[in-house]
Amino acid sequence: MASGADESDDTRTPAEWLRTGISVGSLRAERDAAKQQCDAIGGGLTKKQFCDEHIKTRAYIPAEKRSVAYYELLSGQTDSEGVAAVAKANLFVSHPWGSDISSDKGMGVVEFFDTVLGFIEKHNHDRKDASPITHVWIDLFQVVQADVGGDKTWIQDFKEAVPACTRLLAIFSPWQDPEYVRRSWCVYEMLCALNAPVPCPVEIVMPGEAVKPFVEALLTDSTVVGKVMSKVRSKNMQAAFKSDRDEIERLIEESVGFHRLDTLLLGQMRKWMSAAATHVRKSVKDEDATDHLAHAEFLRSVGALHEHLGDFERALEHYTDAQHSLEKGGRPRQIMGIELLVRIGNLYRKQGQFAKALRQHLMAEKLVARAFEGEDVDLTDDLVSSRLLASVHAHLGNSKKEINDFDGAMVALKKGLQIRLECKHLGPNCTDTADSHNDIGCVLHKLKKYSDALQHYM
C-alpha cells in the first residue's frame, strides 16, 4: 500500500470499501488516463507515482480538508459502457507495489492495468459456466491512499472480504524472483482466499511479455523451478509498516502457521508454472510441425517440467506426444525415443503401475540393443552412450525389483553399475555410480543379505 500523511476519513464500513470495486470499464478509463500521463512526460509511471499524482490529488476534498478513497468519487456514476462504476467486486487483485513502497521501484502502472485487464478479457471470453468479471477490488482505488499507515484493526476483515470477491488474481513479477512472495499483505491476501471455508479460486499471472521468456527458461534450465520455489519463506515477509507485518504474522500463526502457509504458496506456484507451460504448449500445433525431431524435443521438455512439478498425467501426455512426433519423423529409435520409454516407465512406477513400468523399460532395453547393433562404441570413452545404456539397465532393474523379480533386478542393476564404473567420465566417485550401488543395496536388503547390502551402501 502506498504511503501518505494527509488527514483522511476512514469511517466507512468495511462491508462497503472491502467488498466493492470499480467496473471493468472504469478500470480501462484509468488505464487510458495513465497512458496519457506517460505520453505527456515521455516516460513510464510506477504505481506509486500514479497514486501520488492522480489518485491522491483527485481524492482530496479541499473544502472539507479530508481525503477519501478514489472509488467514492465514482459511486453513483456509470462507466462508458453503461455499467455502474462501483458495485460488489467479483475479482480481488493482489499485487506488490514495489521492492520499497516509499520508492519508485516496481511494475509500471500501465503494465499493471494491462495485465489485470488482459486476464479479465481472457476470463470473460473463456469463462464457460463461470460468471463474467464485472467489478474489481484494487487497493489503489478502494483504500484511502492518503493514510495507509493508520489504524489497521480491520486487517482481519480480509478473511471474509477476499473470499467474498469469489476470485483472487495474484500478480507475479519478475518471474525470476517474484516480489509477491516476499510481501506480507500479498501472502496474507492469498491465505485469506485459500483458507476460507469455501476456498476462493486463485489465478497467478505475469505481464504478457514475461510469459514467453519465463516458459523458455523453465523448459531449458532444470534448475529454474527450484530457484523460484526457494524464494518462498513466509516467515521472512516484509511490509511497509511494521505494525502491518506484526498483525499479519499474528493472524497467520493463529490460523495455519508458516509451514502450512509455505506449502499452500508452493502449491499455487506449481499450478502457475504448469499453466504457463500448458499455455505455450497449446500455442504450438502438432500438425504444423515440420521438424519432427525439434518438436519432439519441445514436447519432451514440457513433459519433463510437468513431471518435475508433480503433474504426472500431463507429463505422460506430453512424453507420448513426443513419441508420436518421432515416429512421424521416422526416428522412433533415436536416443530420445529410448529416453522417452525410460521416462514413461518411471512415471508409471511413481504411480504404482509396476507392470506398465516394466513393459516400457523392457521396450527400452530392446530398442537400445537395436540402436547399438553393429556399432563399434567404446563405452569407456563415450559418456552419452554409457549414460544411456546404464540408465536403461538401472531403471529396468528397479522395475523388476518392484514386482519382486529380485534375480532379474540384480542382473540389470549390475550391468548398469559395470558400465558406470568402466566409463572414465563417470567412474566410482560419480553420483550415477552411487545410485547404482544404492539400488543394488536395496535389492540385497530385500533378500536379507544385509552384510552384502551394507558394502554397496558404503
Side-chain angles (χ1 to χ4, degrees):
M1 306 231 176
S3 60
D6 299 328
E7 290 185 20
S8 64
D9 177 12
D10 202 10
T11 59
R12 306 173 316 285
T13 60
E16 180 184 60
W17 69 273
L18 270 174
R19 297 172 191 262
T20 58
I22 68 170
S23 68
V24 175
S26 297
L27 181 58
R28 288 197 190 97
E30 296 303 327
R31 187 269 315 273
D32 293 342
K35 280 186 175 180
Q36 289 178 358
Q37 281 186 263
C38 290
D39 291 341
I41 64 174
L45 282 174
T46 65
K47 284 176 275 188
K48 180 184 181 299
Q49 288 171 325
F50 183 74
C51 178
D52 289 343
E53 300 171 18
H54 181 75
I55 300 295
K56 287 185 182 180
T57 302
R58 295 186 62 187
Y60 181 68
I61 305 174
E64 302 178 20
K65 294 183 179 181
R66 71 185 184 100
S67 293
V68 297
Y70 191 81
Y71 86 92
E72 294 180 81
L73 303 177
L74 305 178
S75 293
Q77 301 181 26
T78 57
D79 63 22
S80 60
E81 300 168 9
V83 176
V86 177
K88 183 183 182 302
N90 59 353
L91 178 67
F92 188 103
V93 178
S94 180
H95 66 103
W97 278 68
S99 301
D100 178 355
I101 291 176
S102 64
S103 77
D104 288 338
K105 299 177 182 178
M107 180 191 296
V109 68
V110 174
E111 185 181 32
F112 169 61
F113 289 153
D114 281 340
T115 300
V116 176
L117 287 167
F119 169 80
I120 293 172
E121 289 164 7
K122 184 177 186 304
H123 170 87
N124 288 351
H125 180 269
D126 302 338
R127 61 189 173 90
K128 298 178 181 177
D129 297 329
S131 300
I133 293 169
T134 58
H135 291 79
V136 187
W137 194 100
I138 300 177
D139 56 359
L140 190 65
F141 306 116
Q142 298 301 124
V143 176
V144 179
Q145 291 300 326
D147 189 28
V148 296
D151 179 28
K152 296 294 178 60
T153 55
W154 41 261
I155 288 179
Q156 57 186 326
D157 293 341
F158 274 69
K159 288 189 292 185
E160 289 76 37
V162 174
C165 290
T166 70
R167 186 177 301 274
L168 181 139
L169 180 67
I171 310 293
F172 271 39
S173 179
W175 65 261
Q176 301 95 327
D177 184 15
E179 184 186 353
Y180 189 100
V181 299
R182 300 196 306 273
R183 306 306 299 179
S184 299
W185 270 106
C186 294
V187 172
Y188 176 62
E189 288 161 359
M190 185 177 286
L191 174 62
C192 290
L194 298 174
N195 201 44
V198 178
C200 173
V202 170
E203 303 280 354
I204 296 175
V205 296
M206 296 176 291
E209 68 274 9
V211 175
K212 186 175 180 180
F214 172 58
V215 175
E216 286 177 351
L218 287 175
L219 298 182
T220 57
D221 184 352
S222 61
T223 67
V224 166
V225 172
K227 287 176 181 177
V228 177
M229 294 288 199
S230 69
K231 308 297 182 182
V232 177
R233 294 288 186 277
S234 58
K235 188 66 176 174
N236 298 331
M237 296 181 303
Q238 297 296 318
F241 302 100
K242 184 178 183 298
S243 57
D244 286 14
R245 188 190 66 198
D246 292 345
E247 177 64 7
I248 288 172
E249 286 186 355
R250 183 186 69 80
L251 292 170
I252 290 171
E253 288 175 338
E254 288 181 357
S255 56
V256 299
F258 288 101
H259 178 72
R260 173 60 178 160
L261 176 56
D262 284 349
T263 301
L264 291 171
L265 285 170
L266 288 169
Q268 292 302 312
M269 292 179 76
R270 288 189 185 94
K271 289 182 181 178
W272 163 50
M273 294 181 186
S274 179
T278 300
H279 173 75
V280 172
R281 168 66 182 101
K282 287 181 178 178
S283 69
V284 179
K285 303 296 184 183
D286 292 345
E287 57 269 23
D288 295 336
T290 54
D291 186 337
H292 295 289
L293 178 58
H295 187 56
E297 289 174 344
F298 164 72
L299 293 170
R300 178 187 59 180
S301 296
V302 177
L305 174 59
H306 283 302
E307 181 178 0
H308 193 65
L309 295 172
D311 191 343
F312 297 151
E313 288 188 11
R314 282 185 176 171
L316 182 59
E317 174 189 331
H318 288 96
Y319 288 154
T320 303
D321 288 344
Q323 286 181 318
H324 293 160
S325 186
L326 283 178
E327 290 168 1
K328 285 181 181 178
R331 302 181 181 184
R333 297 184 188 180
Q334 275 273 349
I335 287 178
M336 191 195 309
I338 299 167
E339 291 176 350
L340 287 168
L341 286 170
V342 170
R343 286 177 180 269
I344 291 171
N346 290 342
L347 283 177
Y348 283 133
R349 198 169 74 221
K350 289 176 181 178
Q351 297 177 85
Q353 301 182 57
F354 302 127
K356 287 185 176 180
L358 179 60
R359 193 175 305 122
Q360 295 293 320
H361 290 146
L362 285 170
M363 288 171 62
E365 183 187 41
K366 291 179 180 178
L367 202 56
V368 80
R370 293 176 189 170
F372 287 96
E373 187 175 7
E375 297 287 336
D376 184 17
V377 179
D378 181 5
L379 292 179
T380 65
D381 195 42
D382 188 334
L383 177 60
V384 174
S385 298
S386 295
R387 271 204 161 134
L388 177 65
L389 284 167
S391 174
V392 169
H393 291 308
H395 291 296
L396 175 60
N398 281 315
S399 286
K400 289 187 173 183
K401 179 190 70 176
E402 298 293 357
I403 61 168
N404 297 326
D405 179 6
F406 299 130
D407 290 339
M410 286 296 291
V411 170
L413 291 172
K414 284 183 176 180
K415 284 182 180 179
L417 174 60
Q418 182 179 356
I419 292 171
R420 287 168 172 167
L421 286 172
E422 292 178 354
C423 179
K424 63 184 181 182
H425 301 291
L426 297 173
N429 298 319
C430 175
T431 54
D432 291 354
T433 306
D435 288 340
S436 286
H437 280 296
N438 187 66
D439 292 338
I440 291 172
C442 288
V443 175
L444 291 170
H445 192 273
K446 290 272 188 181
L447 294 169
K448 297 184 179 181
K449 297 181 179 180
Y450 302 124
S451 59
D452 291 339
L454 186 60
Q455 293 300 315
H456 284 279
Y457 286 147
M458 295 177 66

